[in-house]
Amino acid sequence: MTEMEKGSEGQKEGLIMLGCPEAAAQVSVALHIAHGLRKMGLVPVVAGNPSARSLVAMADPDRHYVGEMVDLDACIEALVTHEQDYAVSFVLIHRESGVSYAGTVGSVSTGRLVAVVFGKEAGELAGLIDFPCERVVAKAVHNVLPLSKDIDRVMGWDA
């Protein structure tokens, strides 16, 4: 039985797909989203390259917020082969490659997709998104408050 055949079992997780680990705001945003997902009753799964996952692991060593952490390429493969899906997927975008990852998730996932675009070129990167998704866009580099407020608004976590 695949994860998709388990029905709601696979839908009880929310994905946080990390981008390149050089963005200072990324770990704080990921932990904020993980906290919100937990409040929704979803287990936050973080996907990223080894460096990005290491930064999150260091910030949440006892896994109070984050659940499972998986390799980015393995996560994409599981989504594409329909072995895994998520109720909601957040893709953190601060480089052009993030837009591609979000497009891939949007084309294969049946869950909700939220593109969180941040950094100095947030507006330009958001302009590259030509697929259906919800967007949170802010030029946040170090100050993550605009992002967290918009994420809360989009998800209804501010109510």
Side-chain angles (χ1 to χ4, degrees), residues 55-77:
L55 290 171
V56 172
M58 181 174 276
D60 187 18
D62 292 329
R63 302 273 178 98
H64 291 291
Y65 299 105
V66 174
E68 185 181 359
M69 291 210 270
V70 298
D71 176 73
L72 179 60
D73 292 332
C75 178
I76 292 290
E77 183 177 334

Side-chain angles (χ1 to χ4, degrees), residues 66-122:
V66 174
E68 185 181 359
M69 291 210 270
V70 298
D71 176 73
L72 179 60
D73 292 332
C75 178
I76 292 290
E77 183 177 334
L79 283 164
V80 169
T81 59
H82 302 288
E83 292 178 18
Q84 180 68 48
D85 201 1
Y86 299 92
V88 60
S89 296
F90 289 87
V91 180
L92 306 186
I93 300 170
H94 62 96
R95 291 189 174 235
E96 203 170 313
S97 59
V99 176
S100 297
Y101 283 121
T104 299
V105 173
S107 69
V108 296
S109 176
T110 60
R112 186 176 177 185
L113 174 61
V114 181
V116 179
V117 188
F118 61 102
K120 293 178 182 173
E121 300 172 2

